[in-house]
Amino acid sequence: MSASRHSGITDELGPDEPEPAREGPDGSDLLAALLDGMDAALCAFDAAGVVTHWNREAERILGWTAAEAVGRAGFAGWAVRSADAEEVEARLMSAMDAPGRQVEEFALLTKDGGRVLVRTQSAAVRGPEGKPAGVYCAFSEVHTQIDLERSIALSEALLEDASWGVVLVDADLRPAVVNAHAARALGAGRTSVLGRPLGELLARGVEELESALTHVLAEGAPPAPAELWVSVRTPEGERRRCWRSGFVRLASPLAEEPVPLGVGWMFQDVTESRQGEQEASLLRFRAQQLHRAARAAAECEDPAEAVTVHLDFALAGFADHALIDRVADVAADAGTEGAARMRLVRIAATPSGAPGPSRLVGRAGLPVRYGEGHPAVQCVQRSGSVRASAGSVGAEAARTWALSRQWPADSVHALCTVLRSRGRTLGAVTFLRGAGRTAFERADAVYAEDVAIRIATALDLSALLDTDR
């Protein structure tokens, strides 16, 4: 059954269609197909209030077929209660004289006697001379409309006012929409990031992020948020951030089968809390290591053995290599009045090849060939800690840097801490890290100084016992 009449007001509601020159649907068949294919319910009235059009969605909502609806005068007695019919009809037909569209809410009757609250949008239909010839009315159930409005409002709020980052990534893994919070987190403007590869926005962590996005496109949203560590490029340099991220796959609601449009990526910066947790965990671990080292060293008969025990416990999770140099003597330098030249003797070191416990070396007492300005010499002279690093250089330059300082070839970062006991400087302990680790920081120096106090005490006791013997 067609959704419209084939005569009468139908000719007034639209322009005359020319006779088709070839076989195919005529104008009324095409109009009926278009109306029946709409997602919204639609009906139309002529100037006298007679129903002229009624599509399948209107039939689905109210139960009345097009054959039962078209030709009726208004809604009275079938789609609206008689007591409400006059008011409803007046409000609908008033759209003929009003500019634009009017939005109303009515309670309509279904064919089985139920009531449905609908929201309508009504507007005038103009005839060939531009005069009002009737009214069309599109309507949907209020709860469906409210759900749609909520979805739209939620989308707009997420993309404008959300306190976490929201990025819509297309199927090519490039940002398509970015909210203000995400743009600030990425260190760029909202429009400047659109369509750019993620590798241009992030210095590190791109592979993990793109892998997560690809997984969501293929498999759907993960069951729980993921924490991703990334480095963001900014004018001030790279900033390392931890983003707690959630992902949802976006699919077109218009396709019969789900067609992925991209991924919705929502994230929140949790860097400070995660760094705080990591620092607290690291402090607990280091405190436990100091406690274990003290208990193990207390069982050593030889204080020199206790020195290596403290060194081995300190290395765990802290450094790759460690060296202990003892002050041999202080000889006056003939070239500089009042100056002193430090001579340091290597007494303990970790194996330079395969990992293993530290061992005592340097029985011959030969001084290490440290040059002027060596970090170990500086820390002894200053009675403090000295940090050094090869910097951003190639592997061969880093190797040369380490070997020239009498350190293992794979050393890239160094921390030298003075050994002091009973008001005297006994030497220095040097901790070394390879290229796979970060440079030493101030917190590392504090821990190294705690270890150095215990090593210096054991070293001082060992010297006293040797003197007594």
Side-chain angles (χ1 to χ4, degrees):
M1 173 63 68
S2 173
S4 63
R5 297 190 303 181
H6 288 254
S7 61
I9 195 64
T10 303
D11 297 331
E12 299 180 12
L13 293 180
D16 294 334
E17 295 291 338
E19 191 69 23
R22 56 184 174 82
E23 293 185 2
D26 60 19
S28 60
D29 291 337
L30 180 58
L31 177 60
L34 291 174
L35 294 179
D36 286 340
M38 293 178 60
D39 292 330
L42 186 137
C43 64
F45 305 88
D46 62 14
V50 177
V51 178
T52 61
H53 295 76
W54 190 267
N55 72 348
R56 293 188 184 278
E57 184 65 13
E59 177 182 340
R60 185 193 68 79
I61 294 176
L62 298 180
W64 302 96
T65 65
E68 296 169 321
V70 173
R72 289 180 179 263
F75 285 156
W78 62 286
V80 175
R81 291 192 313 169
S82 299
D84 300 331
E86 183 178 350
E87 178 188 358
V88 170
E89 183 175 350
R91 291 165 68 181
L92 283 175
M93 300 308 293
S94 66
M96 282 201 305
D97 302 319
R101 293 180 296 176
Q102 288 186 322
V103 179
E104 306 280 357
E105 288 188 3
F106 304 120
L108 300 182
L109 295 178
T110 62
K111 188 175 181 179
D112 58 8
R115 299 185 70 192
V116 178
L117 184 63
V118 299
R119 179 172 295 177
T120 66
Q121 293 188 34
S122 304
V125 177
R126 304 292 174 180
E129 298 179 359
K131 297 181 180 180
V135 173
Y136 80 83
C137 173
F139 63 91
S140 61
E141 297 176 80
V142 166
H143 70 82
T144 303
Q145 184 71 17
I146 291 176
D147 288 344
L148 176 61
E149 292 179 2
R150 283 174 178 161
S151 298
I152 296 174
L154 175 60
S155 299
E156 292 181 351
L158 286 175
L159 296 175
E160 294 294 338
D161 306 323
S163 59
W164 56 87
V166 180
V167 181
L168 303 187
V169 183
D170 62 21
D172 294 329
L173 306 185
R174 299 186 180 218
V177 181
V178 178
N179 75 342
H181 187 97
R184 289 193 299 269
L186 292 169
R190 293 185 63 179
T191 57
S192 63
V193 303
L194 302 183
R196 294 172 58 185
L198 294 172
E200 294 183 5
L201 305 174
L202 303 177
R204 297 183 182 178
V206 179
E207 294 81 4
E208 292 79 2
L209 177 57
E210 290 184 341
S211 176
L213 294 172
T214 303
H215 173 80
V216 174
L217 280 173
E219 305 292 337
E227 292 185 359
L228 303 174
W229 282 93
V230 300
S231 292
V232 183
R233 290 191 176 96
T234 66
E236 295 77 23
E238 295 182 5
R239 289 186 304 148
R240 191 164 182 261
R241 315 303 297 170
C242 180
W243 290 340
R244 185 174 177 84
S245 303
F247 303 92
V248 291
R249 181 167 58 182
L250 305 178
S252 173
L254 303 179
E256 294 183 3
E257 296 182 1
V259 177
L261 297 178
V263 176
W265 170 33
M266 292 148 284
F267 65 89
Q268 193 170 26
D269 195 319
V270 294
T271 307
E272 292 185 3
S273 62
R274 291 297 171 267
Q275 287 179 339
E277 292 174 1
Q278 291 177 353
E279 291 173 0
S281 177
L282 185 61
L283 287 175
R284 287 194 300 269
F285 173 75
R286 289 179 175 178
Q288 292 172 355
Q289 287 298 98
L290 291 174
H291 176 71
R292 295 190 186 105
R295 295 190 61 177
E299 301 299 324
C300 297
E301 294 184 5
D302 184 359
E305 182 183 353
V307 169
T308 60
V309 167
H310 283 294
L311 198 62
D312 290 335
F313 274 93
L315 276 178
F318 182 68
D320 298 315
H321 305 286
L323 315 168
I324 297 179
D325 300 318
R326 177 177 55 85
V327 175
D329 56 19
V330 180
D333 190 346
T336 306
E337 182 178 358
R341 179 169 54 86
M342 287 292 176
R343 300 179 62 200
L344 298 176
V345 177
R346 180 75 46 81
I347 64 170
T350 54
S352 58
S358 304
R359 61 178 183 270
L360 296 173
V361 295
R363 300 289 185 183
L366 298 177
V368 187
R369 293 180 294 106
Y370 286 155
E372 290 294 330
H374 190 281
V377 175
Q378 290 184 28
C379 97
V380 170
Q381 292 173 339
R382 300 175 185 176
S383 295
S385 297
V386 175
R387 286 177 283 172
S389 180
S392 301
V393 297
E396 191 59 35
R399 176 184 175 86
T400 302
W401 177 85
L403 293 177
S404 66
R405 287 159 178 77
Q406 312 302 316
W407 291 335
D410 59 345
S411 301
V412 175
H413 311 293
L415 172 61
C416 299
T417 304
V418 68
L419 300 173
R420 288 183 60 83
S421 177
R422 295 187 298 149
R424 297 179 300 119
T425 297
L426 305 182
V429 56
T430 301
F431 295 101
L432 302 167
R433 289 178 176 174
R437 294 177 181 264
T438 59
F440 289 99
E441 299 178 354
R442 178 55 192 159
D444 298 322
V446 172
Y447 176 63
E449 290 165 2
D450 287 341
V451 175
I453 291 172
R454 291 161 170 78
I455 292 177
T457 301
L459 191 61
D460 194 16
L461 179 58
S462 177
L464 289 175
L465 292 177
D466 289 343
T467 303
D468 292 342
R469 294 191 186 107

